[in-house]
């Protein structure tokens, strides 16, 4: 069945070109065109549209997207932009539209945009979740991988796992894959990318879960500028409902920028000599500015509620969870079987499954 299309575009030449292009396809029927959103929203009902193409570079049209969503809840809405703009794309999605598409476009571009944005997941802004640890060996990468798997399975929505540990990222090893493209390629190309040509940079781990790999060699980390990595994450939000970022240990421009960009920071520390609580305090102080924070302590012995409360008292901040040394989980991760044979009865799996439920439901 053909889409009944309404176009809102104030550039007459661009409008005429779009109408002529869509008329060549039996998949689209242009029922009406408008030069401003006010006229469109008051007159479009009689056409029963199921696809709006709206010039969101016009601020009035962009601001009216929530009203279009409210009045036409069953219609698809795509924003039209002449140059890719991450801020406009974000505001378009926040308003309830599927996303943006570059103009001029062809019929295949429209079809691909509808496909990508519909499988992304629920409408609205993506969740960006960073995984940070003041020092290494805290189980950060394992937790990021397991949570990504859990969210993808439970939500049925698309999840991106970005390995931003630029020198020593292990996620390709955890999943036993060798992606052809890495975060280096994405960061260097990002100024030329938009959602329609960005997807191939990700390696499909399994249904709903995609990996943007760390660099092949440690020295390649120098090729990734922090600003470019920020733009990569922002672009990823157009394709994925959840974007999880595994970060290098310690404070550096990459980890600080990613935690600032994220809406949720998972901060992890391994209990070893007692200094970890002080490290966690410093990390919370860096990132506690309105973000949602999960504090996780690993290798806690005894791993009891009493020990958790003891650590919480020393920390002076709520402790989300404490975990014992998960030898079986470490063995599975190191052998590349993390997507195939997770021990569902382990405490880590049960805990991360609960965190996934909280994130999907919006509680956390």
């Amino acid at each position: 069945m053909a889409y009944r299309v309404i176009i809102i575009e104030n550039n007459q030449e661009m409008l005429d070109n779009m109408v002529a292009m869509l008329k060549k396809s039996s998949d689209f029927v242009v029922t009406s065109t408008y030069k401003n959103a006010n006229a469109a929203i008051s007159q479009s009902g009689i056409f029963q549209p199921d696809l709006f193409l709206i010039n969101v570079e016009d601020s009035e049209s962009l601001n009216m997207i929530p009203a279009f969503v409210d009045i036409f809840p069953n219609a698809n809405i795509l924003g039209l932009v002449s140059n890719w703009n991450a801020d406009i794309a974000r505001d378009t999605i926040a308003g309830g539209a599927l996303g943006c598409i570059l103009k001029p476009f062809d019929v295949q571009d429209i079809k691909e945009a509808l496909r990508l944005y519909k499988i992304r997941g629920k409408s609205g802004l993506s969740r960006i979740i960073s995984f940070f640890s003041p020092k290494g060996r805290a189980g950060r990468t394992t937790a990021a991988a397991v949570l990504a798997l859990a969210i993808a399975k439970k939500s049925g929505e698309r999840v991106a796992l970005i390995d931003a540990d630029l020198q020593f990222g292990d996620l390709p090893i955890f999943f036993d894959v060798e992606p052809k493209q890495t975060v280096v390629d994405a960061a260097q190309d990002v100024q030329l990318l938009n959602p329609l040509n960005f997807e191939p940079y990700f390696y499909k781990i399994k249904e709903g879960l995609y990996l943007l790999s760390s660099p092949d060699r440690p020295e390649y980390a120098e090729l990734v500028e922090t600003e470019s990595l920020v733009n990569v994450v922002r672009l990823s939000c157009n394709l994925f409902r959840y974007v999880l970022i595994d970060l290098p240990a310690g404070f550096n421009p990459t980890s600080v920028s990613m935690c600032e960009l994220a809406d949720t920071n998972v901060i992890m520390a391994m209990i070893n000599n007692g200094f970890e609580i002080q490290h966690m305090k410093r990390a919370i102080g860096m990132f506690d500015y309105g973000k949602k924070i999960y504090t996780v302590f690993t290798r806690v012995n005894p791993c009891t509620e009493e020990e958790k409360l003891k650590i919480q008292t020393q920390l002076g901040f709520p402790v989300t969870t404490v975990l014992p040394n998960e030898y079986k989980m470490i063995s599975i991760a190191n052998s590349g079987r993390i997507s195939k044979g997770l021990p569902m009865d382990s405490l880590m799996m049960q805990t991360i499954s609960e965190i996934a439920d909280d994130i999907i439901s919006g509680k956390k």
Side-chain angles (χ1 to χ4, degrees), residues 292-311:
K292 297 175 182 177
I293 293 179
Y294 286 92
T295 53
V296 180
F297 287 90
T298 60
R299 301 195 183 188
V300 177
N301 185 27
C303 191
T304 62
E305 185 65 24
E306 290 75 17
E307 190 67 17
K308 174 183 173 181
L309 293 174
K310 177 181 174 182
I311 294 172

Side-chain angles (χ1 to χ4, degrees), residues 86-114:
D87 292 325
I88 290 178
R90 182 186 187 278
D91 291 344
T92 301
I93 293 173
L98 292 176
C100 288
I101 184 171
L102 288 174
K103 56 182 181 180
F105 51 80
D106 59 30
V107 170
Q108 191 55 43
D109 291 335
I110 291 286
K111 290 180 179 179
E112 181 65 2
L114 290 170

Side-chain angles (χ1 to χ4, degrees), residues 173-197:
I173 298 172
F174 278 24
F175 291 105
D176 191 24
V177 297
E178 296 182 8
K180 294 181 180 179
Q181 303 269 34
T182 73
V183 69
V184 174
D185 302 298
Q188 291 188 326
D189 296 346
V190 70
Q191 295 302 324
L192 304 174
L193 296 175
N194 64 77
L196 299 192
N197 58 18

Side-chain angles (χ1 to χ4, degrees), residues 87-151:
D87 292 325
I88 290 178
R90 182 186 187 278
D91 291 344
T92 301
I93 293 173
L98 292 176
C100 288
I101 184 171
L102 288 174
K103 56 182 181 180
F105 51 80
D106 59 30
V107 170
Q108 191 55 43
D109 291 335
I110 291 286
K111 290 180 179 179
E112 181 65 2
L114 290 170
R115 181 190 74 83
L116 286 173
Y117 293 147
K118 285 183 177 180
I119 63 176
R120 172 181 173 271
K122 296 176 184 176
S123 62
L125 295 176
S126 299
R127 295 293 304 271
I128 305 176
I129 305 166
S130 73
F131 289 78
F132 173 83
S133 58
K135 299 181 72 174
R137 303 186 64 81
R140 180 194 68 249
T141 300
T142 302
V146 174
L147 184 60
L149 285 163
I151 292 176

Side-chain angles (χ1 to χ4, degrees), residues 148-157 349 352-357 360:
L149 285 163
I151 292 176
K153 181 178 180 180
K154 288 172 172 284
S155 70
E157 299 176 286
M349 279 302 304
I352 291 181
S353 179
E354 292 172 0
I355 292 174
D357 288 336
I360 293 167

